[in-house]
Amino acid sequence: MKAAVLEARGLRKAFSGVRAVDGVDLALREGEWTALIGPNGAGKTTLLHLLGGQLRPDAGSVYFQGEEITRRPAERRARAGLARTFQVPALFPELTVREHVLAARLRGRWTLRPVPNRDREAVEELLARCRLREKASRRAEELSHGDRRLLEIAVALASEPRVLLLDEPAAGLSPAEVDGLLVLLRELRRERTSLAVLLVEHDMDVVFELAERVVVMHRGRVLAEGSPEEVHRDPEVQAVYLGTREL
Ligand SMILES: Nc1ncnc2c1ncn2[C@@H]1O[C@H](COP(=O)(O)OP(=O)(O)O)[C@@H](O)[C@H]1O
Ligand SMILES: [Mg+2]
């Protein structure tokens, strides 16, 4: 089995007494797509914040490519190849689509010299891949919700990450926008064969199609883990979801 590229051990985070993440172990391997599911409030987003560096854990540790990064700032994690998107897209309203992707690509390499052709080409390719080429000159504030999501993914990919954390990328999208997102994710899965992805997603059709492994969280803990089929059959998992509209 391939070595874990991102690993969490015993992660805990409480908010004034609420144990949002309550002792989570998790390993993401090169090229593996893992879906993270669980009812609202299960602690999924908090876990992503702990992995991405937006929050510091109360206990436990995070390792990236074998190195401990538990207290490393989010920006440094991103530069090292740990990219993520947010439940609410984090963009600059006045910057254009192309400017976002270029800035992400050049992160930490700004100079007064013209942008190297190699970087320009990489940006155009990424815009095309994320179906944003026609909208490249639009400002982020002018984009539809679906295109903002695509842009956020383009920004995350621009740094050529080793690990990508996606927090509910399909949330709030129209059916047509979800289809567009799925085309992009399928391509990514096929072509970026070494990228490890952690995908928070409620739509089980999407989970079954994209993820080989599913981790189920409930009340801050990992309740179950396995193939999509195994998890779907698990009576405990079914009980947790009973009466909710998810799964
Ligand atoms: N910044 C915060 N302050 C206080 N409570 C929070 C904060 N973030 C999350 N929580 C609480 O932690 C729990 C887990 O939330 P979250 O990680 O957002 O769950 P999920 O993404 O699975 O819906 C919830 O009870 C939520 O209310
Ligand atoms: Mg969430």
Side-chain angles (χ1 to χ4, degrees):
M1 197 184 273
K2 283 182 175 154
V5 53
L6 184 68
E7 194 171 355
R9 287 188 211 148
L11 280 186
R12 287 178 200 282
K13 180 75 188 176
F15 299 106
S16 47
V18 177
R19 293 179 188 164
V21 170
D22 194 15
V24 167
D25 295 325
L26 181 79
L28 304 183
R29 288 169 216 293
E30 200 181 298
E32 193 179 46
W33 283 55
T34 304
L36 179 61
I37 69 169
N40 280 332
K44 305 178 297 294
T45 294
T46 304
L47 178 60
L48 259 61
H49 287 338
L50 296 173
L51 298 174
Q54 285 73 33
L55 283 174
R56 300 279 172 279
D58 300 330
S61 29
V62 182
Y63 298 83
F64 180 59
Q65 298 179 301
E67 223 183 306
E68 197 188 336
I69 58 160
T70 316
R71 316 239 142 234
R72 198 173 287 180
E75 171 57 30
R76 277 188 59 204
R77 296 184 202 207
R79 237 182 294 153
L82 176 51
R84 65 165 301 189
T85 66
F86 293 84
Q87 219 166 330
V88 178
L91 299 167
F92 299 99
E94 289 170 24
L95 291 191
T96 68
V97 167
R98 183 176 281 112
E99 286 164 349
H100 271 92
V101 179
L102 188 59
R105 166 89 192 177
L106 295 178
R107 206 197 287 257
R109 287 197 284 127
W110 286 108
T111 68
L112 288 175
R113 271 179 250 141
V115 174
N117 277 339
R118 190 168 39 85
D119 293 312
R120 282 199 185 283
E121 283 160 19
V123 166
E124 295 312 310
E125 193 193 307
L126 200 48
L127 289 172
R129 169 180 294 266
C130 297
R131 276 122 198 116
L132 288 168
R133 203 156 49 181
E134 270 82 71
K135 292 156 188 158
S137 303
R138 301 233 187 117
R139 302 193 317 187
E141 64 191 355
E142 299 172 63
L143 298 179
S144 69
H145 192 55
D147 286 338
R148 285 181 197 180
R149 290 247 176 244
L150 292 176
L151 176 54
E152 222 202 354
I153 294 172
V155 165
L157 291 173
S159 57
E160 299 185 339
R162 305 288 308 273
V163 174
L164 178 60
L165 312 174
L166 297 170
D167 199 353
E168 301 201 30
L173 302 195
S174 70
E177 288 173 333
V178 173
D179 287 345
L181 175 73
L182 279 177
V183 171
L184 169 61
L185 295 181
R186 276 183 209 121
E187 275 178 17
L188 269 186
R189 186 169 153 79
R190 202 170 52 234
E191 289 165 24
R192 298 234 177 155
T193 50
S194 62
L195 181 69
V197 175
L198 183 64
L199 170 71
V200 179
E201 178 54 61
H202 290 301
D203 185 329
M204 284 310 283
D205 291 336
V206 174
V207 168
F208 267 81
E209 186 186 328
L210 289 173
E212 52 233 79
R213 198 165 69 98
V214 181
V215 173
V216 188
M217 274 186 85
H218 180 49
R219 296 192 179 143
R221 294 172 161 272
V222 174
L223 175 79
E225 196 173 341
S227 71
E229 292 78 13
E230 283 165 352
V231 161
H232 199 62
R233 273 199 310 265
D234 188 314
E236 259 195 296
V237 174
Q238 289 175 1
V240 160
Y241 275 99
L242 216 62
T244 80
R245 54 186 179 79
E246 297 144 9
L247 200 85

